Structure formats: structure tokens, C-alpha cells
Amino acid sequence: IIRIHQEADAEAARRQAVEMFSLVRLPNPRRLLRKHLHEIRGGQLQRAKQLTYLFITHDLQMVKHIADRILVMYLGRLVEAGPVEAVFRRPLHPYTQALLSAMPGLDPAERAERILLEGDVPSPIDPPVGCRFHTRCRQAQPVCRQSAPVWRKVGADRRMACHRV
């Protein structure tokens, strides 16, 4: 693209691409040059193009492929946030755990045990008092029915709203 739009020779285009990758703090910028476009994660492409967007979906497979970070919501409230790889590897919030357990996997040996949520989804117009997920949560405690959990930092780069933390 640099060669076409800026009429640069191959070496000048490579130098400029490495400089751009470094500028947006992509790891191993020289190695990225050797990859095909489909091998570069979506979030890396966003940073390279200095692009940020909000993508709202229920398709977690899509999120896994196009995003660096994920925010999980239940009834209009954030319940978990963090780097996609970390959240998919070890979901912390019970709702996130249930969502990810529902994702189909290609390898049956790698599929997590399906967490089936019981009960009806509460009305978003008249949500329950306390944690909005407590009516369907296997791990709900009395405090969950009384007060909404605080959005707090969990580790270096994760956040969660749950009384269990």
C-alpha cells in the first residue's frame, strides 16, 4: 500500500512500515512484515491503521478474531473486560463463563463443559435489585440480591463487576 500510495521503492516502503508498526507499539514489527494480511490479528491491524471501533455482537468467534479487548455486558451493565485472549482463556465472571461455554469448538476435546443458565432473563426495563445476573447465577450470594457489584480492577489488565472478587 505504501509503495502504491507514496510511490516508494520496496526498501523505503519496508522501512516506513516498520516505523509505523513501532510507532503504534506492535510487537516484532520486522516479523509482522513477513506475515500475510490474514495472519495479523484484527487489533494489530486497527493499531497499524490508527483505527478504533466499537463492535457490538453476540458472535464471540468473531470477537476472538477481530478484537484485542472485550467488554461483556448483561442487561445493559458491564460484567467483565480485558484482553480477548485472557478473557477467553480464563473467564472470571459467571455470565462470561456461561457465554464462552456455549461457543462451539472444532475440537471436542477442547470444549468446556456447557454451563446452562436457568430461569428467565429479567426485564431490562425493570431489572432486579442488586446484581442483575443474580437470578440466573449459580454462584449468587445473599449480597448479590441486595446491592449491585462495584466495577473493579482484577489483576493488571482485567476488570469485573462481581461480589465474589
Side-chain angles (χ1 to χ4, degrees):
I1 294 173
I2 294 170
R3 289 185 68 187
I4 294 168
H5 289 286
Q6 296 184 6
E7 298 180 14
D9 63 54
E11 186 53 38
R14 275 197 275 300
R15 280 194 310 272
Q16 188 171 354
V18 168
E19 183 180 323
M20 288 172 55
F21 290 162
S22 297
L23 183 67
V24 293
R25 291 181 245 153
L26 289 175
N28 304 312
R30 291 192 194 314
R31 188 173 55 99
L32 279 176
L33 286 179
R34 292 190 298 270
K35 289 189 173 193
H36 293 280
L37 192 57
H38 70 275
E39 296 176 304
I40 300 174
R41 292 195 50 229
Q44 291 176 323
L45 286 174
Q46 292 170 34
R47 280 190 279 163
K49 296 177 181 178
Q50 297 182 346
L51 171 69
T52 300
Y53 59 90
L54 176 64
F55 184 73
I56 300 171
T57 184
H58 288 97
D59 185 345
L60 295 175
Q61 287 290 354
M62 180 67 74
V63 170
K64 190 175 184 179
H65 292 287
I66 69 165
D68 281 336
R69 295 190 54 76
I70 184 171
L71 300 170
V72 179
M73 297 180 77
Y74 183 79
L75 285 181
R77 294 282 188 254
L78 290 173
V79 295
E80 185 166 354
V84 168
E85 289 179 21
V87 172
F88 274 63
R89 188 177 338 99
R90 194 170 77 81
L92 301 173
H93 194 278
Y95 180 63
T96 309
Q97 293 167 0
L99 275 180
L100 293 177
S101 80
M103 278 180 49
L106 296 177
D107 183 356
E110 291 182 9
R111 288 186 195 148
E113 181 182 330
R114 178 83 159 96
I115 299 171
L116 296 175
L117 298 177
E118 296 182 6
D120 295 327
V121 177
S123 167
I125 296 169
D126 186 24
V129 174
C131 174
R132 292 184 177 200
F133 187 58
H134 84 265
T135 61
R136 305 185 78 202
C137 182
R138 294 182 187 181
Q139 301 171 36
Q141 304 166 6
V143 68
C144 302
R145 293 171 187 79
Q146 298 162 0
S147 65
V150 175
W151 183 245
R152 64 184 72 175
K153 197 169 187 176
V154 181
D157 54 0
R158 307 272 299 269
R159 289 190 172 270
M160 183 171 77
C162 185
H163 290 294
R164 295 179 312 111
V165 177

